[in-house]
Amino acid sequence: MGSINVFTGPMKCGKTKRAIEAATIQKIRGKDIKVFKPGIDNRFAENKIVTRSGKELDTLNISCIEDIENYDADVYVIDEFQFLDGDLEAINRLANKDKRIYISGLNLTSDRKPFGRMGEVMCMADKIELMTSVCEVCKSEEAIYTYYSGPKDSDILVGEAGYMPVCRECYEKLSMGMINL
Ligand SMILES: [Zn+2]
C-alpha cells in the first residue's frame, strides 16, 4: 500500500528538506516523483522549490488539493500544504492506489491556531514528524511556534518578513510585551 507522511512544525524546522529527502530516496529506487506547491507561494522562484540547502527541484503549481490527481506519479510531494484547500480524500485515494505522499507545512499560524487543513491531514496520516527549530529570541530552547512581529493585515503567511521561530516561553513574553524585538 501507499502511505501519507506529514512533516510539520514551525518555520525553519527543516520540514521541506525532510520531505524532499524522503522523496529523493524513492527516486533512487527508480520511482517517479512529482513535487507540488500552492500557486500563491512565489517566495524564491517560479516553478521551482529551493530548499535551504540550495537544492532546486521543478515544481507544479496547484490551486487545490485534488489537482494532484491530474498528474501520474509514484511519489507525490506537496510543500506549503497549509495554504491548500479542497478535497482531502484525494490524498487517501492516491495512497490507496499504492502512491506515497509526502506533505510538508506549518502546523500552526502565528496566532497558534491550526493552519488550514494541516490538522485534518495530520489525523489522516500514516506517519507524522513534528519538528522543531531553534528559538531566535533566547537562542537556546526548541522553537515550536512561529511568531509574527510585523503589522497585522493578513492571515495568510507568505514569505518570511517579520516571522521567526520561537519557544513557548518567548512566545508568551513577546505576546505580553515583556520582550521587545
Ligand atoms: Zn526562546
Side-chain angles (χ1 to χ4, degrees):
M1 287 307 272
S3 60
I4 303 167
N5 306 273
V6 177
F7 302 96
T8 190
M11 67 186 294
K12 297 187 184 173
C13 69
K15 53 196 180 298
T16 296
K17 184 167 175 257
R18 283 285 293 116
I20 297 293
E21 276 171 5
T24 303
I25 291 166
Q26 297 301 316
K27 193 170 193 167
I28 292 164
R29 291 180 180 151
K31 304 289 186 188
D32 180 28
I33 294 170
K34 287 198 169 58
V35 183
F36 301 88
K37 63 174 188 175
I40 57 167
D41 180 30
N42 290 326
R43 185 168 25 168
F44 294 117
E46 279 222 276
N47 300 318
K48 293 230 185 285
I49 193 169
V50 184
T51 64
R52 281 175 203 285
S53 52
K55 193 177 239 178
E56 270 192 9
L57 284 169
D58 289 329
T59 61
L60 298 155
N61 284 339
I62 50 173
S63 58
C64 60
I65 296 162
E66 63 268 29
D67 279 354
I68 61 171
E69 288 185 298
N70 298 323
Y71 299 90
D72 192 36
D74 302 311
V75 177
Y76 295 74
V77 180
I78 314 174
D79 190 36
E80 303 281 5
F81 192 86
Q82 75 274 5
F83 293 132
L84 286 168
D85 203 351
D87 183 10
L88 278 170
E89 269 308 307
I91 291 173
N92 265 333
R93 284 193 291 270
L94 289 171
N96 293 343
K97 285 193 273 185
D98 221 19
K99 311 296 187 182
R100 283 176 193 254
I101 324 286
Y102 296 104
I103 289 169
S104 72
L106 293 164
N107 52 347
L108 297 170
T109 66
S110 56
D111 292 323
R112 298 190 291 188
K113 302 278 193 305
F115 208 143
R117 311 299 295 278
M118 283 299 290
E120 289 165 274
V121 83
M122 284 165 75
C123 292
M124 292 165 56
D126 297 64
K127 203 173 165 192
I128 303 163
E129 214 169 294
L130 182 55
M131 304 169 72
T132 59
S133 46
V134 177
C135 177
E136 289 190 357
V137 177
C138 65
K139 320 262 192 225
S140 59
E141 297 298 318
E142 279 186 315
I144 55 172
Y145 299 128
T146 304
Y147 184 79
Y148 179 60
S149 59
K152 193 82 194 170
D153 46 21
S154 168
D155 280 343
I156 299 210
L157 190 159
V158 183
E160 296 183 350
Y163 293 96
M164 60 171 69
V166 298
C167 70
R168 178 181 293 278
E169 189 178 341
C170 291
Y171 190 101
E172 286 304 302
K173 286 181 176 170
L174 285 162
S175 300
M176 292 187 290
M178 292 163 68
I179 304 173
N180 289 310
L181 296 170

